[in-house]
Amino acid sequence: MAWLMCTHGNDKGFETELVKETYMLGRAPDCDIMILDERASRYHCKVSLRKKVFLLEDMGSTNGVKVKSKRIKGKKVKLKLGDSFAIGKTVFVLSKNRDISIEVTEGLVEDLGKKNRGAVVDRTYLEALSLEIQKGKKTGLWARIFGKKE
């Protein structure tokens, strides 16, 4: 099964296992996943699983959805595991594993060392998480980011 995790924005830390066929995302209280973002429409988009393929569909929202830095509006696009999409300032990642964000965060804190732990910023976390998921690796990431020799 797959997980949808919010990695940035007001809903950061939210995660849900995608067990239903379709999930509606938006500001409306009756959405499957309610988003606390002023740029989100009441019924902004939906994520569906059809024949083992994830689809993201904009529901005619005012601001659209950003996928791979491209704004989609009123369209459907395929998503694969590791892909992310943004609704306003809220970023979601489609992941195979629930605990990938925990593993990435633990590795980042460990590699930064005790005196630099307070310097961890959201942008670094999001970039590291996206790279980790796309590469499907759990080792060597921190060396690539911070230039340490393995």
Side-chain angles (χ1 to χ4, degrees), residues 33-123:
I33 299 173
M34 191 173 160
I35 302 169
L36 301 173
D37 191 311
E38 62 188 22
R39 294 180 184 160
S41 295
R42 288 181 299 139
Y43 301 98
H44 200 95
C45 64
K46 68 180 177 180
V47 174
S48 305
L49 179 61
R50 303 269 193 263
K51 298 179 183 177
K52 298 185 180 182
V53 175
F54 286 98
L55 298 172
L56 175 67
E57 180 180 3
D58 179 67
M59 302 305 294
S61 65
T62 303
N63 297 312
V65 181
K66 273 192 171 180
V67 180
K68 298 179 185 172
S69 301
K70 293 181 183 176
R71 186 171 309 279
I72 63 163
K73 198 169 181 181
K75 297 179 186 176
K76 284 184 186 179
V77 295
K78 290 181 182 179
L79 292 176
K80 61 181 188 282
L81 295 176
D83 283 349
S84 62
F85 61 92
I87 299 169
K89 294 181 180 181
T90 305
V91 178
F92 289 95
V93 175
L94 186 63
S95 175
K96 183 177 180 180
N97 301 317
R98 175 181 182 253
D99 61 350
I100 191 79
S101 61
I102 295 168
E103 292 172 12
V104 170
T105 303
E106 287 173 351
L108 181 60
V109 170
E110 183 179 313
D111 283 348
L112 283 175
K114 292 180 181 178
K115 69 177 185 176
N116 293 327
R117 286 186 186 173
V120 177
V121 294
D122 287 341
R123 182 174 175 200

Side-chain angles (χ1 to χ4, degrees), residues 1-7 13-18 81 93-105 125 129 133 138:
M1 220 9 115
W3 288 80
L4 187 64
M5 300 182 300
C6 182
T7 59
F14 170 83
E15 55 188 33
T16 188
E17 186 174 15
L18 301 177
L81 295 176
V93 175
L94 186 63
S95 175
K96 183 177 180 180
N97 301 317
R98 175 181 182 253
D99 61 350
I100 191 79
S101 61
I102 295 168
E103 292 172 12
V104 170
T105 303
Y125 168 79
L129 176 62
I133 291 169
K138 294 183 181 176

